[in-house]
Amino acid sequence: MSGNTPTTAESEQITILLPAGRLPRAILAEVNALAARHGFAIYLTTLQNLRLLDVPRSAAVEIRERLAALGAEFKAAGRFPVPRICIGSPYCSLGRIDTKALSDTIQERFSGRAKTKAKLKIAISGCILSCSGTRTSDIGVVAARHGYDVYAGGKGGPAPKIGRRILKEGTEEEVLAAIATLIDFHDRRTTSKQRMAKLIDDPGFPFAEV
Ligand code: SF4
């Protein structure tokens, strides 16, 4: 969980999205230079993003502009979530897939959505060990022995839940179709924000356990 982002009269927090957990060197260098100049701290969030802490409010616009000029994108209400991924193949000997490639495909397919309701998290893991928390995420995609398994309704927090498997040994296209169906359902059944765990027993939930 990345937590809420409280601000004060003098400071705020800025979260830079890092798709597939990758931190471009140009952004790394600029963040380092800006931190030295403005004295803020840098935190790697549990969702694999980069959060700038205690950013002086007077400098926040300039900081965002400088980073945006390098291609940085920022966390904002309504944005489709960047999947949290494990390192996967070829960097982990157990990895069955290139998790970055699947994350990129999901981003390409869904990041242009006009608005995604809050509290929806997606994770991808390169094998059933689920190092990225795929079975405790709202939507978890796991590379299985043959194809992909998809889990829905997992969560952490004070009452953790293991997700329910809703697709077994599917193809990549079937995974993308399942994600589309799940986020559309989440949108329709959610007024402001909602974890998928609250919705999987809804009579209209579009998948059975498999
Ligand atoms: S989930 Fe599997 S592939 Fe991914 S880092 Fe863990 S062991 Fe490696």
Side-chain angles (χ1 to χ4, degrees):
M1 303 289 285
S2 62
N4 295 318
T5 54
T7 59
T8 69
E10 298 80 28
S11 69
E12 61 184 84
Q13 301 179 42
I14 297 174
T15 299
I16 303 167
L17 301 176
L18 301 181
R22 265 60 170 187
L23 175 52
R25 286 168 53 196
I27 293 176
L28 172 64
E30 186 65 22
V31 165
N32 186 47
L34 289 166
R37 191 181 317 150
H38 298 289
F40 58 76
I42 305 164
Y43 170 64
L44 277 169
T45 77
T46 55
L47 290 179
Q48 298 179 327
N49 295 315
L50 199 67
R51 190 182 293 183
L52 313 183
L53 307 175
D54 305 318
V55 174
R57 197 174 282 283
S58 57
V61 170
E62 182 212 334
I63 289 169
R64 282 179 183 269
E65 286 175 351
R66 293 182 78 97
L67 293 169
L70 297 172
E73 297 195 31
F74 304 100
K75 182 179 176 183
R79 286 195 69 126
F80 187 80
V82 173
R84 174 169 54 188
I85 72 170
C86 79
I87 193 67
S89 177
Y91 307 105
C92 174
S93 60
L94 297 177
R96 294 185 172 278
I97 61 161
D98 177 346
T99 48
K100 178 183 186 305
L102 181 57
S103 175
D104 290 348
T105 300
I106 290 172
Q107 285 283 289
E108 281 161 21
R109 185 72 66 96
F110 299 107
S111 64
R113 281 174 59 88
K115 186 165 173 51
T116 302
K117 305 267 177 58
K119 295 296 175 194
L120 186 76
K121 295 183 175 67
I122 298 181
I124 300 168
S125 63
C127 80
I128 58 172
L129 292 187
S130 297
C131 295
S132 49
T134 31
R135 296 181 68 189
T136 49
S137 293
D138 297 274
I139 300 174
V141 181
V142 178
R145 185 180 293 270
H146 304 289
Y148 299 92
D149 293 345
V150 176
Y151 293 82
K155 66 188 277 292
K161 284 193 169 26
I162 300 296
R164 182 181 293 172
R165 190 169 61 190
I166 55 101
L167 177 67
K168 185 179 179 188
E169 298 181 351
T171 63
E172 185 172 300
E173 269 311 313
E174 287 172 327
V175 169
L176 296 171
I179 292 173
T181 300
L182 286 166
I183 56 178
D184 286 345
F185 179 77
H186 183 266
D187 266 356
R188 285 199 307 277
R189 288 289 200 276
T190 303
T191 52
S192 58
K193 58 184 181 180
Q194 185 69 275
R195 299 305 303 263
M196 192 71 82
K198 294 264 186 174
L199 302 177
I200 58 172
D201 291 324
D202 184 298
F205 189 72
F207 294 98
E209 184 167 12
V210 293

